Amino acid sequence: MARVPARSSDPSTGANGGGGDCTERLGSYREREPRRAIATSLLTPSGDVRVVATHLGLSIHERYAQAQALVSLVRPARTVVLGDFNDWFWVRSVRRVLAQVCPNRTRLRTFPSRLPLMRLDRIYATSDSRIAKVWTDEAARAFSDHLPVIAEIEL
């Protein structure tokens, strides 16, 4: 996605003639770090693609509420949601909520980066897209406690 331009927008209002750029608060708990999602449209040779990036909270109930808010940012077609979902339980999971609108997802172990055991970082995509190839970059261990998830997505 870094190889394609983003739709031009006014960052103060999110207005861009229908592109839908926005920053959305995700209902963080007062005593916790505030969480947000950033959404934009990318102009690809195949048409517009909605991209939503986020970093969810640590509490299971907080993440569940944030996942519900993320669903409202997903368009019915051509949407990719990515980030650190901090989701390791199946009960009230982010996976279950996002699967309703983005059934395709990555499943790589990314945390901790030194010896990845947990699948906290993911890429989700709507059913009209296919995650064709997915990998992590182990060189990132020198810079982060999470491995980045990198994917090729067919639209």
Side-chain angles (χ1 to χ4, degrees):
M1 304 224 178
R3 295 182 225 147
V4 296
R7 193 177 273 286
S8 171
S9 67
D10 175 352
S12 64
T13 64
N16 65 4
D21 287 10
C22 68
T23 300
E24 179 78 20
R25 289 182 185 218
L26 293 180
S28 302
Y29 287 0
R30 176 172 289 175
E31 66 277 5
R32 302 213 185 250
E33 182 178 343
R35 305 296 178 154
R36 291 188 174 271
I38 300 169
T40 193
S41 292
L42 298 181
L43 302 171
T44 73
S46 302
D48 282 7
V49 176
R50 174 82 156 177
V51 179
V52 181
T54 193
H55 184 180
L56 299 187
L58 297 176
S59 159
I60 191 169
H61 300 294
E62 180 182 30
R63 279 192 311 275
Y64 185 76
Q66 291 167 345
Q68 298 287 347
L70 276 176
V71 167
S72 70
L73 296 175
V74 175
R75 295 203 179 132
R78 305 172 70 86
T79 299
V80 176
V81 181
L82 51 90
D84 177 353
F85 294 92
N86 280 319
D87 188 28
W88 56 89
F89 293 116
W90 185 249
V91 176
R92 295 181 67 83
S93 75
V94 171
R95 291 182 305 277
R96 188 175 292 175
V97 173
L98 285 179
Q100 298 169 29
V101 292
C102 291
N104 302 317
R105 74 172 187 266
T106 60
R107 293 171 171 86
L108 298 177
R109 296 175 193 273
T110 60
F111 182 84
S113 61
R114 298 276 178 216
L115 181 62
L117 299 172
M118 301 168 80
R119 297 174 176 102
L120 301 185
D121 308 277
R122 292 192 199 92
I123 299 172
Y124 290 85
T126 49
S127 60
D128 58 343
S129 305
R130 186 174 86 81
I131 299 173
K133 185 177 176 185
V134 62
W135 66 98
T136 61
D137 181 356
E138 294 183 8
R141 288 181 173 139
F143 308 103
S144 177
D145 59 340
H146 292 253
L147 293 177
V149 178
I150 306 160
E152 291 180 9
I153 301 173
E154 295 176 353
L155 305 170

